Amino acid sequence: MSAFWAAGYLNVQNRNEPSGDAFDAANAWYHRLQGDNVTEADRDAFRKWCAQSPDHEAAWEDIQTFASDIRITLAQKPPVPARSTIRRPRGSRRSVLALGSLGLAIACIAMLSSGWRDWLQADYRSGQGEQKTVTLADGSVATLSPNSALKILPDTHERGLALLHGEVWFSVRHDSAHPFYVLAGKGRVTDVGTRFDLRYLEGQTNVAVEEGMVDVAYGPPPPDHVRLTAGQDISYGTGDLGGIQAVDPDDIGAWRKGNLVFRQKPLAEVVAELNRYGSTKLVLASLQGRNRPVSGTFVIGQEDTALNALHEAFGLRILRFTRYLTVLY
């Protein structure tokens, strides 16, 4: 069963803004008017809804503003009632929507600047929402999580790899004469007969051992060294090598079995992880609470369940623009 629980709640309401009910209704009208089967009766009902209250007009104006900000082009743009041109000063919600646009733009720039370069260099790669298992030349197995890129290093007979981006679970065939190793960021992970998970995203690397042992070397020569055994993980990034942490072996590589497991992870990191596995781009537009801890398990493929749980736990509102874009604020 999918479940999420988290500490604290977000408050994004402002008495000068349209009510939450009006905003949700405007969002529903937006989708309805984009549909292929929209009728003139639908448009008339929409105009009547807008005319019922200035709150409705304000909510519709916010919906249109954000749609324009992210340059969503519609084949047939929903009509705008004449009275909706009345503009009133509002603070928080407009700022939140603007942040959503900025977040989407930053995500696109990041994808173009690094993701495509890694994709072109990789020998093994996985796409959005795709998991891929490959058997290497030595019989070792690598399972790539979504949006991952793995490169074979030259003259290593596939015993030397580089994780360019993403997360990969390895089941290694041990050969003491030819050590199996993977480069990730500024570190090197060497097998000592094991199954382990290696994650390299946003400049941060995490190594978690499910079975056996690995040696981790990090930093410029002479690097720092540490040995991990089953049920341990360690992280490193731009600073020093972190400390060894205990981890439930059942949580390691749980994504291969259809689950995403979070243990006191920041909300922003949880949303980023959901993005890797889903078909809809999620934008966390609220700066408040991005570091709130989240613990729980999310079943891959049940995105709505996860979003509803985040809504209930944090008070986040969910704004769906298209099947490809959802904003959390």
Side-chain angles (χ1 to χ4, degrees):
M1 178 179 296
S2 176
F4 268 90
W5 57 97
Y9 294 85
L10 298 182
N11 180 10
V12 296
Q13 297 298 315
N14 186 303
R15 64 182 180 180
N16 295 322
E17 300 173 348
S19 70
D21 290 343
F23 202 73
D24 290 343
N27 185 30
W29 274 114
Y30 184 90
H31 285 281
R32 185 174 175 181
L33 294 171
Q34 287 187 78
D36 295 334
N37 299 321
V38 63
T39 65
E40 192 58 37
D42 292 330
R43 296 187 179 94
D44 288 341
F46 166 71
R47 295 187 187 99
K48 291 177 181 178
W49 175 82
C50 278
Q52 286 175 358
S53 166
D55 215 29
H56 293 182
E57 294 178 357
W60 177 251
E61 183 182 331
D62 274 348
I63 291 288
Q64 285 198 309
T65 297
F66 186 58
S68 175
D69 286 345
I70 59 176
R71 293 179 172 84
I72 297 177
T73 302
L74 304 178
Q76 183 174 1
K77 199 169 185 177
V80 184
R83 290 177 59 191
S84 70
T85 57
I86 301 173
R87 296 182 178 269
R88 297 179 298 168
R90 291 185 297 280
S92 175
R93 193 187 302 277
R94 180 62 55 79
S95 299
V96 163
L97 296 181
L99 285 169
S101 302
L102 178 61
L104 183 63
I106 291 173
C108 292
I109 292 171
M111 179 188 71
L112 291 174
S113 62
S114 61
W116 283 108
R117 182 175 63 250
D118 293 343
W119 185 272
L120 292 174
Q121 292 178 354
D123 294 291
Y124 302 111
R125 58 187 69 85
S126 57
Q128 177 70 23
E130 177 190 20
Q131 296 185 29
K132 179 180 292 186
T133 298
V134 296
T135 300
L136 305 176
D138 68 340
S140 298
V141 174
T143 301
L144 285 71
S145 73
N147 290 338
S148 297
L150 190 63
K151 179 181 176 62
I152 301 170
L153 298 178
D155 302 322
T156 64
H157 304 286
E158 297 196 11
R159 297 288 290 180
L161 306 171
L163 177 56
L164 305 178
H165 181 84
E167 184 173 9
V168 180
W169 178 88
F170 294 95
S171 179
V172 179
R173 177 170 292 181
H174 185 61
D175 180 355
S176 58
H178 302 91
F180 182 98
Y181 66 93
V182 187
L183 305 181
K186 297 180 181 179
R188 170 175 169 149
V189 180
T190 303
D191 156 69
V192 192
T194 187
R195 292 202 296 262
F196 69 97
D197 186 271
L198 182 59
R199 177 184 176 91
Y200 178 52
L201 290 167
E202 306 295 334
Q204 297 295 314
T205 302
N206 177 264
V207 188
V209 180
E210 180 179 342
E211 181 181 292
M213 295 179 290
V214 299
D215 287 332
V216 180
Y218 171 75
D224 295 328
H225 288 270
V226 65
R227 172 164 289 189
L228 300 180
T229 59
Q232 294 182 331
D233 78 351
I234 199 167
S235 298
Y236 59 83
T238 56
D240 296 331
L241 187 65
I244 297 175
Q245 304 290 328
V247 59
D248 187 340
D250 290 338
D251 290 350
I252 299 172
W255 49 268
R256 296 183 302 114
K257 303 171 185 177
N259 295 315
L260 296 178
V261 179
F262 302 104
R263 307 291 186 196
Q264 294 293 295
K265 296 297 184 182
L267 174 61
E269 183 177 325
V270 171
V271 171
E273 189 70 356
L274 292 176
N275 271 327
R276 297 179 59 234
Y277 286 84
S279 59
T280 300
K281 174 65 180 179
L282 305 177
V283 176
L284 182 59
S286 175
L287 294 180
Q288 183 184 10
R290 295 175 67 86
N291 293 321
R292 294 288 183 90
V294 178
S295 294
T297 299
F298 166 54
V299 178
I300 295 172
Q302 296 184 10
E303 185 176 89
D304 285 346
T305 302
L307 293 181
N308 289 336
L310 291 176
H311 163 70
E312 293 175 3
F314 287 95
L316 286 173
R317 302 190 72 84
I318 302 169
L319 182 58
R320 293 179 172 89
F321 277 94
T322 73
R323 59 181 296 186
Y324 303 110
L325 175 63
T326 295
V327 177
L328 310 177
Y329 66 97

